[in-house]
Amino acid sequence: MDGEEFRKWSRAAAEWGADYRQTLRERPVRAQTRPGEIAALIEPAAPENPQPMEAIFEDFEKIIVPGMTHWQHPRFFAYFPANAAPVSVVAEYLVSAMAAQCMLWQTSPAATELETKVIDWLRQALGLPDGFSGVIQDSASSATLSAVLTMRERALEWQGNRQGLSGQPRLRIYSTDQVHTSIDRAIWVSGIGEENLVRIATGGRWHSMKPEALEAAIEADRAAGYCPAGVIACVGGTSVGGCDDVEAIAATARKHGLYLHVDAAWAGSAMICPEFRHFWSGVEEADSIVFNPHKWLGAQFDCSVHFVRDPESLVKTLAIRPEFLKTHGHDGIVNYSEWTVPLGRRFRALKLWFLLRAHGLEGLRAMIRNHVAWSEALASRLASQPGFEIVTEPMLSLFSFRHQARDERENDAHNLRLLEAINDDGRIYLTQTRVEGKVVIRFQAGQFETRREDIDTAFEAITGIAAGL
Ligand SMILES: *Cc1c(COP(=O)(O)O)cnc(C)c1O
């Protein structure tokens, strides 16, 4: 592809993207396709000779797009959002054109310095105290893995990387059953082992870790000769928005010298609104915090911000400095690849800079406040409908509900059928989880383009389809 062709097809892609966003409302939210249908339309091997861009682009529209679930759709109410505000897409076009490798300061000084700045913008926006710095990771999973590795190295006096784990004291990490599976995986990958992830009992409206149970577990482990290393608290769990009492847990962690990591991957974005910060009060006592601007805030996927109180511990855990990476003569500068597991790094700060400037914090707050208010309104409307039960009340914009089957023993199957029928209908997209073993349907509002009418459509789709089952 020569320069002129590149210009032509970049324009075509931009045009396509704008048309796509404008016509999203008319498309079914979830891909209406069966497994294998798309694969069957793709050649079994790569072509030997070049093919014309016209044909490639046409196939993209014909084969790929109909097999997509539309995450930017205004009536995407499933999982959690993965917003890509148009302005962050524009930033990504630019990043993509430059295709820089931002591993060291000198491999892209602007990327490094902007990253430091936007992280500090976000620190202030979230109401975190001075003293937290951070790094942009690809995902919350990577940030949590880095945090768990830091817990491990800190507890082993920085000997884990060197000596391996055999012959070391048995490490223990504490969390609840409300945390995301990325925590389990971090425990596996770090070599700590699932049996050493201690699930502390929960209670109360937000399924919070019981601080006295945490205290007892740490003491019992110490008595048994284990080595407690850290605690992972959750603010806004993936299932139904579970929230630990960070303040109480931080006090226990501190008392025992344990590292505290807070996973607020989804809910963190809402903390730009001061009135929601009670959900993570005490967070300023954490050693690290992760939140994903690529979820609710609107930064094109991927973009996960990992705040740390003490970057030295993280760098001591992860940095390798071979001769060829040394940035001679530039002492005191930041090389963000020393803060993450991967060496190579995309330029992720640009889309945050564009996003925060184009919308302003007030614009983003207004969006999040709307989502929370609309979700609460939908929950109370559904609660007043015969046969509907709100199982977990809204935590920010996430709640769960269930529809009563004629025979109560059929409830699980009935709600799965209802969910399937809703998603086949295509107007909205929802997902399920389990609460106390029972199937419930989750609802969250978090899309950039969602309007109040879309919530009305959700109400009509849910109640209408349930009535027809
Ligand atoms: C989404 C989510 C994660 C995982 O995020 P990735 O960026 O996909 O790794 C972890 N924890 C919580 C609470 C989440 O909502």
Side-chain angles (χ1 to χ4, degrees):
M1 183 176 273
D2 65 19
E4 275 317 303
E5 285 270 291
F6 179 50
R7 187 180 305 281
K8 173 180 162 192
W9 288 104
S10 296
R11 287 207 172 115
E15 288 292 333
W16 184 88
D19 289 343
Y20 171 75
R21 289 297 179 97
Q22 273 172 0
T23 55
L24 264 181
R25 262 170 205 287
E26 295 139 38
R27 301 173 192 247
V29 191
R30 193 196 60 179
Q32 305 290 318
T33 178
R34 277 183 300 281
E37 253 176 25
I38 307 295
L41 299 173
I42 295 174
E43 296 298 326
E48 293 296 334
N49 296 307
Q51 297 183 342
M53 259 314 280
E54 281 76 9
I56 300 169
F57 207 96
E58 195 182 307
D59 281 348
F60 161 70
E61 293 192 278
K62 209 170 67 201
I63 300 172
I64 303 302
V65 180
M68 296 301 290
T69 290
H70 302 295
W71 281 74
Q72 305 311 314
H73 198 295
R75 292 187 301 275
F76 181 103
F77 301 120
Y79 304 98
F80 279 142
N83 278 311
V87 64
S88 81
V89 176
V90 172
E92 280 288 270
Y93 285 144
L94 305 178
V95 163
S96 190
M98 292 185 287
Q101 233 289 18
C102 307
M103 55 188 172
L104 307 174
W105 178 87
Q106 72 174 16
T107 65
S108 286
T112 300
E113 295 186 15
L114 185 63
E115 183 158 340
T116 306
K117 283 291 191 182
V118 292
I119 294 232
D120 201 58
W121 283 16
L122 287 171
R123 175 192 67 74
Q124 297 172 56
L126 266 49
L128 293 172
D130 210 3
F132 277 100
S133 46
V135 58
I136 307 179
Q137 302 242 20
D138 55 357
S139 61
S141 303
S142 296
T144 295
L145 174 60
S146 309
V148 168
L149 292 171
T150 307
M151 291 177 194
R152 186 190 78 186
E153 287 307 294
R154 208 167 150 264
L156 297 180
E157 291 167 358
W158 318 100
Q159 293 306 310
N161 282 336
R162 200 181 309 269
Q163 299 174 358
L165 299 191
S166 77
Q168 304 281 11
R170 187 161 165 177
L171 299 177
R172 304 289 262 184
I173 309 267
Y174 308 87
S175 73
T176 70
D177 61 358
Q178 296 295 306
V179 294
H180 189 264
T181 51
S182 56
I183 279 87
D184 303 60
R185 282 209 277 196
I187 300 291
W188 299 354
V189 174
S190 64
I192 291 172
E194 189 171 292
E195 288 174 7
N196 296 310
L197 175 60
V198 184
R199 307 280 185 174
I200 306 296
T202 59
R205 180 167 174 202
W206 305 115
H207 309 270
S208 320
M209 185 188 296
K210 292 185 171 158
E212 66 284 1
L214 172 63
E215 175 86 36
I218 295 169
E219 276 170 4
D221 280 348
R222 282 247 157 85
Y226 298 154
C227 177
V231 186
I232 300 172
C234 162
V235 176
T238 326
S239 177
V240 291
C243 262
D244 288 324
D245 176 350
V246 179
E247 194 160 1
I249 290 172
T252 308
R254 173 150 304 207
K255 177 175 156 200
H256 291 277
L258 305 194
Y259 185 107
L260 173 62
H261 176 65
V262 175
D263 177 7
W266 162 68
S269 294
M271 303 308 164
I272 61 171
C273 306
E275 70 271 30
F276 300 136
R277 289 185 193 151
H278 63 91
F279 280 117
W280 74 356
S281 64
V283 74
E284 61 282 355
E285 295 295 321
D287 293 291
S288 55
I289 304 158
V290 63
F291 99 101
N292 285 354
H294 73 226
K295 277 186 167 153
W296 207 350
L297 209 59
Q300 156 96 337
F301 186 83
D302 49 14
C303 185
S304 182
V305 170
H306 178 197
F307 290 107
V308 289
R309 170 189 299 289
D310 171 25
E312 267 314 303
S313 302
L314 181 61
V315 171
K316 218 165 150 184
T317 301
L318 295 179
I320 294 179
R321 299 182 201 202
E323 194 55 34
F324 72 90
L325 287 179
K326 279 192 182 137
T327 46
H328 299 289
H330 283 289
D331 282 351
I333 58 170
V334 185
N335 293 319
Y336 278 120
S337 59
E338 297 178 346
W339 299 43
T340 58
V341 175
L343 171 65
R345 310 186 72 245
R346 302 178 59 242
F347 184 5
R348 299 194 183 88
L350 194 73
K351 57 196 168 193
L352 276 171
W353 193 46
F354 275 39
L355 174 80
L356 294 169
R357 293 179 62 184
H359 288 270
L361 290 172
E362 265 308 308
L364 297 170
R365 284 187 196 111
M367 172 187 74
I368 285 174
R369 284 173 178 144
N370 277 338
H371 293 155
V372 172
W374 294 339
S375 186
E376 284 169 353
L378 178 64
S380 45
R381 256 180 108 184
L382 279 180
S384 69
Q385 293 295 303
F388 281 93
E389 175 199 355
I390 302 303
V391 180
T392 56
E393 293 294 324
M395 188 279 168
L396 297 170
S397 65
L398 167 67
F399 70 89
S400 68
F401 66 92
R402 179 159 56 207
H403 186 249
Q404 196 68 37
R406 267 181 289 273
D407 177 350
E408 197 171 318
R409 287 166 306 177
E410 294 289 304
N411 264 350
D412 282 1
H414 174 76
N415 279 281
L416 289 173
R417 250 195 328 273
L418 171 59
L419 182 73
E420 223 20 60
I422 288 170
N423 292 336
D424 286 344
D425 169 82
R427 276 175 289 171
I428 65 172
Y429 182 25
L430 303 177
T431 43
Q432 80 285 351
T433 186
R434 280 179 187 269
V435 173
E436 282 153 19
K438 292 180 185 145
V439 171
V440 299
I441 301 178
R442 288 168 85 259
F443 178 94
Q444 67 76 27
Q447 297 304 112
F448 242 72
E449 304 287 333
T450 300
R451 301 181 199 139
R452 192 189 296 271
E453 308 90 88
D454 296 310
I455 309 290
D456 295 337
T457 306
F459 176 79
E460 284 150 24
I462 294 166
T463 52
I465 292 168
L469 271 191

